[in-house]
């Protein structure tokens, strides 16, 4: 079993352990526990030992816990799980109690369990390269670092300094880790790593101090004081409240981590380790952890590795992109494309408008320079790639043109037919529409097979998702090209089939539609808005409608009427009533159009009295749980309908798309994963209750009954 850990002792008495486990990465699984146990026993018995170096034969130093193992955990297995954690912790404890210095030679990412291993060594040495990431990101998967990570990091850095790494799962470069005190030294090249590790051991021969962990020294004090020191006592008073404000009580992991970290600053080392073990054992059994691991790890990898990309099409590199329309979306698309080294032609009606669009990139680059994240050379290089123009001929030779003009079908069609000829041979046309059917837009193209929807989210430089929409005639090559372009600009692409509003806009629309319905029914508007946040949406439904703008809704409804598709996905009477009242009768088109539901003055947001006067009914008493379920279930039901009608091609696309594009509450793991942990039968029953009370739109989609009958979940 020792074969996955190569054990070599040199003439100086230094043992180098090179971890080379089965599979692409080193991970904390049964194989690791066996190898680690045997290795530690052998090291304890080793004669003439002067030091130990832990190294990796993989590109990644160590990848952390085995998530398949964690996902398989079931209630009732707590004792076994705790035993397994205790065993692993005992190996780390034996390692750090060896009478010689132990060095970790970090050649690649050391995240989660990988960094916990490093923490159990006396000296942490890393290659100073941006591919090397260091940190404890367990919280992002609904877990906590259960291999001693919480306890050791608090002991190493002090409670206050350790909390951001534990609660936010911050991953840092070797330079930042060195500055923070998470590692001890960096080397500039990979070749220097092992020689430097050995040199450190030889330089500390006979130095007892180098072989003892700080927390095992007699006079050890936690940096910044322990939990009862006056300065920390103040921090601890406010910490739970600040955390609750961030998680809204919906994510158990940060709360558990905070508890464990405080105990680590209060109790002795061994007692704190036991609290940490209990904390992870509790979290592994929570639905939130199952949701986050399923979606953010397994499904995210599936999406990014191209599960939805046509398999037999060679990689498609985009070299020159044309962006039509230098407004908010166009300028963002130009920026992310130039940042990826793609030549950009940014075209608008006038050169001034196009220049203004380019100025947006300059502003973002200046910000990055001010933060020390960008050199003047790189700034000049990026700006040099963007050419602002008003001349169609400049688009000659683009292998991709993305149209980002207003949501008006006639305008979009006119632009397509007048500029499509400038595409290079085999070039493709992308429409950044958020709602208009691609099949219909493609009718204006001479080659509809080269036409695809490329839906960005605003602001483009920050939002990680791109929704690719295939029309009836979109070819595999066009899809592959758009997919590869999205990866080239470092975005996560989901692939959906055509429909009015596709997946994200259509589902997102149900959120503020349901909010509007409750306002029209007489529920207090503030309550509706606050309960949207209480389910974990980034903002309430009324606030979000103000942001997107009621004016945009009015225009979209007008366009849909012209296209003859009004109420195609269910009636929107309440929404029309609200939009008419706000926009048409009162000239309130949203936050940036004179206010909407809310007034926005001097940075303050207050509910506009007109909404209350018009709609609020004091005698309407709706249970909070019903309001919360209406806001969440509407979106989940729409997502299920998209899956049922093949607008969504995969469950992974639905989950990733709902979180990254719609702002689905993180704890759900996405709108389809939510149904799995809520329970399919229970979901069906709750839909029935809501439909009986509030309307047919809550009827449970047929696909749920099909899954129940087949004994399946949404995977």
């Amino acid at each position: 079993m020792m074969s996955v850990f190569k054990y070599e002792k040199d003439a100086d008495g230094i043992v180098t352990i090179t971890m080379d486990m089965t599979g692409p990465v080193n991970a904390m699984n049964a194989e690791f526990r066996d190898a680690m146990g045997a290795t530690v026993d052998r090291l304890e018995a080793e004669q003439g030992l002067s030091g130990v170096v832990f190294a990796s034969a993989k590109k990644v130093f160590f990848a952390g816990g085995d998530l398949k193992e964690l996902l398989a955990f079931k209630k009732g297995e707590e004792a076994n799980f705790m035993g397994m954690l205790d065993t692993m912790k005992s190996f780390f404890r034996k390692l750090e109690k060896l009478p010689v210095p132990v060095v970790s030679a970090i050649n690649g990412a050391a995240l989660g369990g990988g960094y916990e291993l490093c923490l159990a060594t006396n000296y942490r040495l890393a290659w100073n390269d941006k591919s090397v990431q260091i940190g404890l990101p367990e919280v992002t998967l609904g877990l906590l670092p259960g291999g001693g990570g919480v306890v050791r990091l608090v002991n190493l850095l002090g409670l206050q300094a350790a909390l951001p790494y534990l609660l936010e799962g911050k991953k840092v470069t070797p330079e930042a880790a060195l500055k923070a005190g998470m590692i001890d030294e960096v080397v500039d090249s990979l070749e220097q790593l092992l020689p430097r590790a050995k040199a450190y051991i030889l330089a500390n021969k006979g130095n007892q101090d180098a072989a003892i962990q700080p927390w095992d020294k007699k006079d050890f004090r936690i940096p910044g004081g322990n939990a009862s020191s006056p300065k920390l006592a103040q921090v601890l008073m406010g910490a739970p409240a600040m955390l609750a404000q961030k998680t809204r009580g919906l994510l158990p992991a940060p709360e558990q981590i905070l508890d464990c970290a405080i105990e680590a600053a209060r109790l002795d080392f061994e007692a704190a380790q036991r609290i940490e073990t209990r904390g992870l054992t509790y979290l592994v059994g929570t639905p939130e952890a199952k949701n986050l691991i399923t979606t953010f790890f397994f499904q995210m990898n599936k999406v990014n590795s191209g599960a939805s990309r046509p398999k037999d099409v060679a990689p498609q590199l985009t070299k020159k992109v044309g962006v039509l329309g230098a407004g908010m979306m166009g300028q963002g698309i130009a920026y992310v494309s130039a940042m990826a080294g793609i030549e950009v032609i940014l075209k608008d009606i006038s050169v001034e408008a196009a220049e203004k669009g380019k100025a947006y990139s300059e502003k973002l680059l200046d910000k990055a320079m001010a933060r020390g994240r960008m050199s003047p050379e790189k700034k000049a290089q990026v700006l040099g790639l963007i050419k602002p123009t008003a001349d169609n001929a400049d688009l000659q030779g683009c292998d991709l043109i993305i149209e980002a003009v207003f949501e008006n079908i006639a305008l979009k069609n006119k632009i397509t037919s007048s500029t499509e000829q400038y595409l290079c041979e085999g070039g493709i046309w992308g429409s950044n529409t958020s709602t208009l059917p691609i099949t219909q837009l493609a009718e204006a193209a001479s080659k509809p097979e080269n036409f695809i929807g490329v839906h960005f989210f605003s602001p483009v430089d920050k939002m990680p998702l791109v929704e690719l929409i295939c029309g009836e005639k979109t070819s595999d090559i066009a899809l592959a090209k758009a997919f590869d372009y999205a990866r080239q600009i470092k975005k996560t692409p989901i692939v959906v089939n055509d429909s009015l509003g596709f997946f994200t806009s259509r589902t997102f629309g149900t959120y503020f539609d349901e909010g509007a319905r409750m306002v029209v029914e007489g529920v207090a508007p503030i309550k509706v808005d606050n309960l949207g946040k209480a389910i974990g949406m980034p903002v309430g439904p009324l606030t979000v409608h103000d942001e997107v703008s009621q004016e945009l809704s009015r225009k979209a409804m007008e366009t849909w009427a012209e296209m003859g598709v009004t109420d195609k996905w269910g009636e929107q009477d309440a929404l029309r009533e609200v939009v008419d009242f706000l926009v048409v009768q009162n000239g309130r088109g949203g936050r940036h159009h004179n206010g909407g539901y809310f007034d926005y003055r001097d940075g303050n947001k207050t509910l506009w009295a007109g909404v209350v006067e018009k709609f609020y009914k004091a005698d309407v008493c709706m249970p909070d749980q019903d309001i919360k379920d209406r806001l969440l279930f509407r979106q989940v039901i729409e997502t299920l309908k998209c899956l049922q009608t093949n607008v969504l091609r995969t469950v992974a696309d639905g989950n990733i798309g709902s979180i990254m594009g719609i702002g689905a509450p993180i704890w759900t793991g996405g709108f389809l994963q939510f149904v799995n942990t809520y329970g399919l039968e229970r979901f069906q029953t709750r839909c029935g209750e809501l439909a009986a009370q509030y309307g047919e739109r809550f009827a449970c989609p047929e696909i749920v009954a099909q899954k129940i009958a087949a004994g399946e979940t949404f995977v």
Side-chain angles (χ1 to χ4, degrees):
M1 192 62 232
M2 283 297 296
S3 59
V4 298
F5 276 19
K6 201 163 153 207
Y7 188 105
E8 294 166 297
K9 188 177 178 187
D10 69 9
D12 294 313
I14 298 172
V15 170
T16 303
I17 311 286
T18 309
M19 302 181 286
D20 191 5
M21 296 174 63
T22 312
V25 293
N26 298 317
M28 237 175 229
N29 51 23
E31 183 181 70
F32 171 78
R33 291 189 288 276
D34 288 346
M36 194 68 181
T39 301
V40 173
D41 287 348
R42 190 168 168 188
L43 288 169
E44 283 183 324
E46 188 68 63
Q47 299 295 307
L49 184 67
S50 55
V52 182
V53 179
F54 268 87
S56 164
K58 314 276 192 197
K59 269 203 172 115
V60 165
F61 175 73
F62 197 98
D66 182 340
L67 293 171
K68 281 201 174 101
E69 228 179 47
L70 297 176
L71 209 49
F73 174 90
K74 290 183 184 65
K75 291 267 197 254
E77 296 172 359
E78 288 79 3
N80 283 350
F81 188 78
M82 285 175 84
M84 182 264 292
L85 280 180
D86 288 341
T87 304
M88 201 160 65
K89 283 179 152 156
S90 72
F91 299 153
F92 284 176
R93 201 71 186 112
K94 284 178 174 177
L95 191 64
E96 66 185 355
K97 292 221 162 165
L98 288 172
V100 295
V102 182
V103 179
S104 33
I106 308 168
N107 66 314
L111 295 168
Y115 181 55
E116 288 182 298
L117 168 62
C118 300
L119 283 170
T121 63
N122 305 100
Y123 198 76
R124 290 167 286 282
L125 177 69
W127 174 34
N128 194 9
D129 185 83
K130 64 173 191 297
S131 69
V132 179
Q133 285 190 306
I134 292 164
L136 296 168
E138 282 84 348
V139 67
T140 59
L141 297 174
L143 303 169
L144 64 75
V150 178
V151 180
R152 286 193 178 89
L153 198 65
V154 169
N155 276 285
L156 181 68
L157 304 183
L159 181 64
Q160 212 171 343
L163 281 178
Y165 299 101
L166 295 167
L167 290 176
E168 296 160 33
K170 266 168 86 166
K171 304 176 195 174
V172 291
T173 59
E175 261 171 7
L178 182 65
K179 211 167 139 191
M182 295 167 76
I183 59 173
D184 302 291
E185 192 187 332
V186 294
V187 294
D188 290 329
S189 73
L190 215 40
E191 293 69 45
Q192 296 169 288
L193 198 56
L194 282 176
R196 179 62 200 117
K198 292 184 172 185
Y200 172 82
I201 290 170
L202 292 176
N204 282 282
K205 223 172 173 173
N207 172 9
Q208 237 353 83
D209 221 33
I212 303 175
Q213 293 283 45
W215 42 89
D216 288 328
K217 293 177 183 165
K218 278 208 168 62
D219 53 356
F220 175 68
R221 293 262 176 285
I222 286 189
N226 66 7
S228 55
S229 72
K231 186 178 155 230
L232 269 186
Q234 260 187 315
V235 173
L236 297 182
M237 292 268 297
M242 275 170 66
L243 189 64
Q245 207 177 354
K246 271 194 176 160
T247 66
R248 302 180 198 153
L250 297 167
L251 294 165
E255 290 173 11
Q256 280 291 325
I257 290 172
L258 183 61
D259 283 350
C260 290
I262 291 170
E263 294 304 343
R266 181 179 286 149
L267 302 170
D268 68 80
F269 191 85
E270 301 302 343
Q273 287 251 55
R274 282 198 295 280
I275 301 264
E276 184 191 89
T277 296
R278 267 185 236 145
L280 180 57
T281 305
Y282 163 70
L283 288 173
V284 167
T286 61
E288 290 84 355
K290 293 220 184 309
N291 289 344
L292 296 181
I293 294 169
T294 301
T295 302
F296 285 102
F297 187 79
F298 291 107
Q299 294 184 348
M300 181 66 101
N301 286 349
K302 208 166 156 182
V303 166
N304 279 334
S305 63
S308 299
R309 183 192 185 280
K311 296 286 168 283
D312 45 1
V313 181
Q316 304 283 311
L317 190 71
T318 294
K319 299 190 186 92
K320 181 176 179 182
V321 66
V323 180
L324 308 184
M328 198 167 69
M329 297 305 272
Q331 62 192 18
I333 298 168
Y335 169 77
V336 294
S337 300
M339 280 296 280
I342 301 170
E343 183 190 344
V344 181
I345 303 297
L346 182 59
K347 183 192 171 293
D348 211 308
I349 292 168
S350 68
V351 174
E352 294 76 42
E355 291 278 6
K356 209 174 134 196
K358 179 175 177 173
Y360 176 78
S361 285
E362 188 155 13
K363 194 178 83 189
L364 290 178
L365 294 166
D366 285 341
K367 250 192 209 161
M369 266 175 65
R371 291 192 186 129
R373 291 190 187 151
M374 167 86 47
S375 66
E377 299 77 42
K378 172 85 173 156
K379 175 190 158 178
Q381 186 195 339
V382 173
L383 286 176
L385 287 168
I386 303 175
K387 179 179 180 178
T389 183
D391 184 359
N392 282 344
D394 285 332
L395 296 165
Q396 190 62 53
C398 283
D399 41 6
L400 169 66
I401 291 179
I402 296 173
E403 159 277 298
V405 301
F406 298 117
E407 288 289 88
N408 176 307
I409 202 156
L411 174 66
K412 286 181 185 285
N413 287 349
K414 190 178 132 198
I415 285 173
T416 306
S417 47
S418 64
T419 47
E420 186 192 24
Q421 74 242 38
Y422 297 105
L423 280 169
C424 71
E425 183 61 39
I428 71 160
W429 184 278
S431 175
N432 173 50
T433 172
S434 54
T435 60
L436 302 175
I438 294 303
T439 306
Q440 220 163 326
L441 287 173
E443 287 168 8
S446 62
K447 292 183 177 160
E449 66 275 16
N450 290 349
F451 196 106
I452 189 167
V454 184
H455 176 207
F456 285 88
F457 297 80
S458 182
V460 178
D461 50 284
K462 289 203 181 82
M463 295 291 275
L465 191 77
V466 172
E467 183 179 27
L468 302 175
I469 306 104
C470 294
E472 275 165 28
K473 295 184 174 162
T474 303
S475 68
D476 277 358
I477 296 231
L479 173 55
K481 175 100 178 168
F483 192 98
D484 294 351
Y485 164 70
R487 294 303 291 142
Q488 221 177 315
I489 58 171
K490 300 187 168 53
K491 301 286 182 199
T492 293
I494 62 165
V495 180
V496 304
N497 288 328
D498 203 13
S499 108
L500 184 67
F502 327 125
F503 163 55
T504 53
S505 299
R506 177 177 153 179
T507 303
F508 183 51
T510 62
Y511 180 52
F512 51 79
D513 179 78
E514 201 56 38
R517 283 171 192 270
M518 289 190 263
V519 169
V520 170
E521 286 166 30
V523 182
I526 291 287
K527 189 177 203 180
V528 174
D529 215 46
N530 285 343
L531 289 175
K533 286 201 323 208
I535 59 173
M537 291 296 288
V539 289
L542 312 187
T543 301
V544 94
H545 201 187
D546 274 7
E547 294 286 343
V548 179
S549 95
Q550 284 80 2
E551 175 53 24
L552 188 69
S553 293
R554 189 192 67 73
K555 274 192 186 141
M557 286 168 169
E558 213 169 61
T559 302
W560 296 340
E562 282 164 20
M563 290 166 63
V565 293
T566 296
D567 289 353
K568 191 168 175 189
W569 306 120
E571 54 83 15
Q572 291 187 307
D573 298 351
L575 192 64
R576 265 193 294 276
E577 187 179 341
V578 167
V579 169
D580 183 70
F581 173 69
L582 288 173
V583 186
V584 183
Q585 296 172 37
N586 289 287
R588 300 175 67 83
R591 181 176 177 176
H592 302 290
H593 305 269
N594 199 29
Y597 287 107
F598 296 93
D599 276 320
Y600 300 87
R601 291 209 183 91
D602 319 317
N604 289 324
K605 174 180 141 198
T606 50
L607 185 66
W608 177 52
V611 177
V612 181
E613 282 161 28
K614 167 86 173 154
F615 297 112
Y616 176 60
K617 301 184 186 81
D619 56 347
V620 168
C621 181
M622 195 179 292
D624 285 5
Q625 194 55 51
D626 282 12
I627 296 175
K628 288 179 1 189
D629 283 354
R630 283 178 66 172
L631 291 170
L632 182 57
F633 275 59
R634 254 319 278 289
Q635 301 180 80
V636 173
I637 287 168
E638 202 62 39
T639 305
L640 287 163
K641 285 179 180 168
C642 287
L643 187 67
Q644 185 171 293
T645 56
N646 205 27
V647 168
L648 274 175
R649 296 173 165 207
T650 70
V651 170
D653 281 340
N655 285 328
I656 297 293
S658 60
I659 285 182
M660 289 181 151
I662 301 169
I666 301 284
W667 63 269
T668 61
F671 287 143
L672 295 169
Q673 177 61 20
F674 165 76
V675 184
N676 293 341
T677 45
Y678 192 86
L680 274 70
E681 282 95 344
R682 187 177 156 222
F683 179 80
Q684 196 181 37
T685 306
R686 183 61 179 142
C687 283
E689 293 166 6
L690 291 169
Q693 186 120 28
Y694 301 109
E696 213 27 55
R697 65 191 178 285
F698 288 106
C700 190
E702 181 56 33
I703 193 168
V704 177
Q706 289 163 5
K707 291 282 180 197
I708 293 170
E712 295 170 357
T713 55
F714 292 98
V715 291

